[in-house]
Amino acid sequence: MTIYQNIDLQWFAAEDEGRTEQPSELKLKKAREEGRVAKSQDLNGAIVFLACLLTLIFLGKSILSGCAEICSYFFNHINDKDIRNAAYFFIFVRYFVRLVIPISVVGIVFGVLGNIIQNKGMLFSLKAISPKFSKIIPKFGEYFKNTIFSLRGVFNIFKSIGKVAIIITVAYVLIKKDIPDLMIVIQNGNMIGAIAHVSRMAATMLVIAAVIFLVISIPDYFVQRREFMESMKMSKYDVKQEYKEMEGDPEVKSKLKQMQKELLSQNMPKAVREADVVIANPTHYAVAMKYEREVSDAPMVTAKGSDNVALEMRRIAEENDVPVVENKSLARGLYAHTEVGDIIPEEYLSVLATVYAEIMRKNKKKL
């Protein structure tokens, strides 16, 4: 465990490359679609190794019996003239498959399960194995840089050395402990018992090593996840470009909004004629608004103006029987905090509700 606890995660930092921003959900989603996720091969390998080992121990007698059966069969037919025929080969394959299938199935199932656990769900992508000419060009310099002459390479080397040290230590302790008992069994001439004793020693040693590998692979997953997130960091330029792709170029959006405002301003007379009400102050500001239930949940500003434009709006409204309500604070607030095409802010809704109610009462019509 100390191997991982002493790792400085700044080894994998991306700040030196100008990538200081956390990866966006869109970038992580694209990486996942390409099959690039945070994953520890050690964790997956430890899960498969332990599962297959336990299966082998559990089915040990059955597998040993099958091996003895196939050996006995071929020894009994060793003098057959057609021993080299294809029929005998298929007999061997049948025995072999019967012995290997259980362990293979367990390995596949737990291999998939390990990936599902790390990937937080099923992940299937062919992009990682799609043909790409650049992949077959040897890049020895980059390979040695990443595997040997880099902090990641040093980390992996020490990790491998730690695994070897664990196996050696476990083997030494167990063998030293069991050697006296094994010698007694051998001295008694019980070779079958000696073989069984050695088998138990080997099984115990492998199980302990597999459990230890599984334990140390858990922090390795978090190290790999941290490294992956560092590699996915974005520069400020990347964030800006992604925002442009998702939301559109802010400059273009600003120009479109300005054009929309100009278009609405040019249609000011029509907007006032079709408005529900014009809020005035009483000559300096005027704001026209319209409420359409199927379009929005609140009234929308359809025109606004100050001074001469405000007076013109009042004139048009009066000529077309559009109610003009004089409210200095409301007119100033709406003029200052809204633009043509905006929905009325929430803080003005209660006042406007009173205005609309008064208009409905006076005109006795439903808006």
Side-chain angles (χ1 to χ4, degrees), residues 120-225:
K120 299 178 180 179
M122 291 293 296
L123 176 62
F124 181 77
S125 174
L126 295 175
K127 192 155 187 177
I129 60 174
S130 59
K132 197 173 182 181
F133 183 74
S134 59
K135 292 181 179 180
I136 65 175
I137 299 176
K139 298 179 181 179
F140 296 108
E142 184 177 343
Y143 171 78
F144 285 112
K145 178 182 177 181
N146 293 332
T147 56
I148 299 178
F149 304 108
S150 69
L151 293 174
R152 182 188 302 178
V154 173
F155 170 72
N156 290 330
I157 288 173
F158 276 101
K159 184 170 64 175
S160 300
I161 293 174
K163 290 181 179 180
V164 173
I166 289 171
I167 294 175
I168 293 175
T169 302
V170 171
Y172 174 78
V173 171
L174 290 178
I175 292 174
K176 184 179 180 180
K177 176 184 176 183
D178 289 346
I179 278 291
D181 295 334
L182 178 61
M183 295 303 299
I184 293 173
V185 174
I186 294 175
Q187 289 174 1
N188 291 334
N190 186 0
M191 295 307 298
I192 300 297
I195 294 174
H197 191 87
V198 171
S199 299
R200 286 193 296 272
M201 288 173 55
T204 303
M205 180 178 66
L206 291 174
V207 169
I208 293 175
V211 171
I212 293 175
F213 287 168
L214 181 61
V215 171
I216 65 176
S217 65
I218 294 174
D220 178 70
Y221 166 75
F222 290 103
V223 171
Q224 298 295 336
R225 178 174 175 80

Side-chain angles (χ1 to χ4, degrees), residues 268-336:
M268 184 269 289
K270 180 181 178 182
V272 174
R273 286 195 297 268
E274 296 178 352
D276 296 330
V277 63
V278 173
I279 308 297
N281 173 30
T283 59
H284 294 292
Y285 302 105
V287 179
M289 60 190 65
K290 187 174 182 61
Y291 177 39
E292 295 177 316
R293 291 181 176 85
E294 65 274 9
V295 176
S296 62
D297 296 331
M300 180 177 69
V301 175
T302 57
K304 74 172 190 175
S306 61
D307 299 329
N308 292 334
V309 177
L311 291 174
E312 180 67 12
M313 289 177 61
R314 290 196 61 163
R315 184 187 66 79
I316 296 172
E318 290 170 355
E319 290 178 355
N320 291 274
D321 295 326
V322 176
V324 177
V325 177
E326 294 188 0
N327 188 317
K328 294 182 179 180
S329 59
L330 180 59
R332 287 183 178 182
L334 290 174
Y335 186 88

Side-chain angles (χ1 to χ4, degrees), residues 55-76 94-96 98-100 103 195 199:
T55 304
L56 180 61
I57 294 173
F58 181 76
L59 300 176
K61 290 184 178 180
S62 175
I63 293 174
L64 183 61
S65 175
C67 290
E69 184 179 341
I70 190 174
C71 290
S72 175
Y73 177 85
F74 279 100
F75 275 122
N76 291 333
R94 187 185 65 187
Y95 275 105
F96 181 78
R98 192 179 70 184
L99 296 175
V100 171
I103 299 176
I195 294 174
S199 299

Side-chain angles (χ1 to χ4, degrees), residues 12 19 43 81 91 95 107 109 145 151 153 167 198 209 236 284 294 330 337 341 349 360-361:
F12 311 115
R19 295 182 286 115
L43 179 57
K81 294 180 180 181
I91 292 172
Y95 275 105
V109 169
K145 178 182 177 181
L151 293 174
I167 294 175
V198 171
K236 294 184 183 298
H284 294 292
E294 65 274 9
L330 180 59
H337 299 113
L349 290 180
M360 291 175 63
R361 187 184 65 81

